[in-house]
Amino acid sequence: MSGQKPVTPNADALATAAKAASKGGPAPVHLWNPPFCGDLDMEIKRDGTWFYLGTPIGRFELVRLFSSILKMEDGKYFLVTPVEKVGIRVEDAPFVAVDFEVAGEGDAQSLTFETHVGDVTTASPETPIRVHLDPETGEPSPYVMVRAGLEALIDRKSFYRLVELGVHREGWFGLWSEGQFFPLLPSEQLEV
């Protein structure tokens, strides 16, 4: 036995630890590997709403704080601090890209996305755009990587705007950003 007292997952304690750990900039969750303390009854729904004990978290500042200590390991999501790691559920992607800006054009174009919690990411080889097609309905779900394996579902209005910027290249319809072409759909699947 290590003599260390077991920690019971608690959202208030996590918030306090996250505030202390993230002073002066983003929390360095990639450097933290604390012991697993159990699962917390917290879930992020597909629309980006965070729930704790079945109730939506209404304070943006608290959601923003929790999102800053979110980490993905082996396909599972965790909130981490320097001393504890708790599992949470994510229905789809942990973030929603609610808007984007375009700079430049053609293959010199840059697409910079903003999430519902204020994260900003520019689509690039390190932070790609991808589309998943529902096998039953064929409906596209577009995503952009935000950080360290954490994606944002691109909201419908933004996706429609992105489609207007799309081009055909080597049999694919897709988007350019930061010199990278991101194929979205085979050109043959689009109606002419």
Side-chain angles (χ1 to χ4, degrees):
M1 303 242 353
S2 68
Q4 186 176 9
K5 186 177 179 182
V7 179
T8 302
N10 176 298
D12 291 331
L14 272 173
T16 301
K19 283 180 193 172
S22 61
K23 287 192 183 206
V29 296
H30 62 287
L31 300 176
W32 299 339
N33 194 19
F36 178 68
C37 300
D39 292 318
L40 194 61
D41 186 8
M42 189 175 284
E43 182 175 18
I44 306 171
K45 294 291 191 178
R46 190 172 202 267
D47 68 358
T49 304
W50 287 60
F51 284 79
Y52 178 58
L53 300 174
T55 302
I57 300 174
R59 289 185 41 220
F60 173 78
E61 297 80 15
L62 192 56
V63 169
R64 173 76 178 132
L65 182 65
F66 284 139
S67 74
S68 74
I69 60 167
L70 186 63
K71 184 177 186 180
M72 184 178 197
E73 292 177 356
D74 300 323
K76 297 178 184 171
Y77 295 93
F78 301 93
L79 297 179
V80 295
T81 71
V83 296
E84 64 186 315
K85 173 169 72 173
V86 297
I88 68 167
R89 297 178 311 280
V90 176
E91 190 174 69
D92 188 355
F95 304 117
V96 178
V98 294
D99 202 3
F100 72 93
E101 291 185 8
V102 183
E105 46 186 58
D107 61 0
Q109 175 175 274
S110 289
L111 302 171
T112 301
F113 295 84
E114 183 174 353
T115 72
H116 71 296
V117 293
D119 286 315
V120 175
T121 188
T122 299
S124 71
E126 294 78 33
T127 51
I129 298 171
R130 71 175 183 92
V131 172
H132 171 77
L133 293 177
D134 183 295
E136 293 178 16
T137 66
E139 183 177 346
S141 292
Y143 301 88
V144 62
M145 186 66 65
V146 176
R147 65 175 185 267
L150 302 175
E151 290 184 312
L153 174 66
I154 300 170
D155 73 359
R156 188 173 302 272
K157 70 176 173 17
S158 297
F159 187 55
Y160 286 150
R161 287 179 48 220
L162 285 171
V163 168
E164 292 174 7
L165 299 171
V167 296
H168 292 273
R169 179 176 185 260
E170 298 175 2
W172 284 89
F173 178 79
L175 298 162
W176 284 99
S177 186
E178 296 293 299
Q180 176 74 38
F181 181 76
F182 298 101
L184 302 180
L185 294 168
S187 293
E188 64 191 27
Q189 288 186 4
L190 297 176
E191 295 179 357
V192 181

